[in-house]
Amino acid sequence: MERKYFFFDIDGTLTDDATKEIVPSALEAVRKLQQAGHFVSLATGRANYKAEGFRAKHDFQNMVCNGGHGIYYDGELRENRPLDYDKALAVYRQAVELGYGVLAAIDDSQKVYADSFRFYETAGIRREATTYIIDEEFDPAVVENIYKLYVAVPQEEEHRLTLKDTVGHLRYQKEYLMFQADEKKDGIIKMLEYAGGSPENTVVFGDDYNDLCMFDEKFYCVAMGNACDALKEKADYVTEKNIEDGIYKACEKHGWF
């Protein structure tokens, strides 16, 4: 059997959104793919610090994380790049000038920095574990890196951020816009360089809007049955929902085991 290179999104693809745990049949499929000699990797938008526990718990030796900027290969972290500094700083400054609260992550951790409580007053507490460091002297212009930005801008006012499209961004929560790396496809290409694979032998599984960027025409793209419509339209194949053994069934149907 020709060796293939499989990349799996985590949230909503490998894991059950209700339990946040990996779907048992998905884990079984991953193990059978490995036993068949295929290359298997995670491909997640999660920051490295948020994805590493999942990777280690389930013994994935390879992982694209941090929206494509992080690369784990053969169990070792090889790369973990921040955002383009000048572009991220420009977005930060514009958001502040427009009066929006901004949080800045300047390293790979749950810590975020701000010069005021404006983000909290507008958007409230973030729904994930976060350590807030409020320092009126904080200035991202004097730090080395910016990994993420969170801007408390209402969706109907996003157009005011004219620099918005210069940096990858997503809106998971209605209260704020998150700026982070959105280059999963580039991360997969980089991983293929490490592993000696080719795009033509690559299979990607995903479910949400942030997976659109990795559904490239050079890859074979599988959308979960619970995926957003935009991803299904772009997919080469739509399988069952993740909690209905979608990953296992897709692999079985295509003869990848």
Side-chain angles (χ1 to χ4, degrees):
M1 182 187 301
E2 185 176 35
R3 191 182 201 214
K4 291 193 176 295
Y5 296 78
F6 289 86
F7 292 83
F8 295 94
D9 172 56
I10 296 178
D11 301 298
T13 300
L14 283 172
T15 64
D16 180 347
D17 283 337
T19 65
K20 306 304 180 185
E21 297 294 330
I22 194 167
V23 176
S25 64
L27 184 58
E28 183 181 359
V30 165
R31 299 299 175 244
K32 292 184 73 170
L33 289 172
Q34 292 171 324
Q35 290 167 7
H38 300 302
F39 177 90
V40 175
S41 174
L42 298 170
T44 179
R46 292 187 190 185
N48 173 59
Y49 81 91
K50 291 179 63 179
E52 166 56 11
F54 183 91
R55 184 201 69 80
K57 178 180 178 180
H58 299 294
D59 197 29
F60 282 89
Q61 294 299 298
N62 309 296
M63 176 173 71
V64 175
C65 60
N66 191 19
H69 281 196
I71 303 290
Y72 257 95
Y73 177 67
D74 199 21
E76 295 183 12
L77 181 63
R78 307 300 179 97
E79 303 179 20
N80 192 26
R81 295 179 289 114
L83 294 172
D84 181 292
Y85 180 79
D86 291 334
K87 292 179 180 178
L89 181 60
V91 169
Y92 177 93
R93 285 174 168 165
Q94 184 179 61
V96 170
E97 288 173 1
L98 290 170
Y100 298 120
V102 186
L103 304 175
I106 62 175
D107 57 21
D108 180 38
S109 75
Q110 70 178 36
K111 294 182 294 184
V112 294
Y113 294 75
D115 63 1
S116 73
F117 287 91
R118 189 176 299 116
F119 182 96
Y120 168 74
E121 294 166 352
T122 305
I125 295 291
R126 296 183 61 235
R127 290 177 174 81
E128 57 185 273
T130 305
T131 299
Y132 299 88
I133 301 173
I134 310 300
D135 178 0
E136 63 182 13
E137 301 298 324
F138 173 70
D139 181 358
V142 299
V143 303
E144 293 185 0
N145 298 310
I146 299 174
Y147 280 80
K148 290 189 178 185
L149 294 173
Y150 305 90
V151 180
V153 54
Q155 189 165 8
E156 62 272 18
E157 295 181 20
E158 280 185 20
H159 65 278
R160 299 185 67 202
L161 285 171
T162 59
L163 298 177
K164 179 185 68 172
D165 293 333
T166 62
V167 180
H169 56 278
L170 297 165
R171 184 180 288 273
Y172 283 126
Q173 308 296 337
K174 65 179 182 179
E175 295 86 0
Y176 58 87
L177 192 63
M178 176 171 63
F179 290 84
Q180 65 173 37
D182 187 23
E183 301 172 11
K184 274 190 179 183
K185 184 189 78 172
D186 294 340
I188 289 172
I189 295 296
K190 176 64 70 172
M191 180 68 84
L192 291 174
E193 293 175 4
Y194 277 101
S198 66
E200 292 74 20
N201 288 323
T202 296
V203 182
V204 297
F205 283 75
D207 75 297
D208 212 344
Y209 290 100
N210 69 328
D211 296 320
L212 285 167
C213 64
M214 74 172 183
F215 269 39
D216 187 84
E217 60 183 12
K218 293 180 181 179
F219 306 151
Y220 188 77
C221 304
V222 181
M224 306 308 297
N226 51 288
C228 62
D229 290 340
L231 199 69
K232 289 180 179 178
E233 292 172 4
K234 198 174 181 181
D236 296 298
Y237 180 76
V238 179
T239 187
E240 283 81 1
K241 295 179 180 179
N242 60 344
I243 59 173
E244 295 174 354
D245 306 326
I247 289 176
Y248 192 97
K249 290 176 179 177
C251 293
E252 190 172 49
K253 179 177 178 61
H254 287 79
W256 290 326
F257 294 148

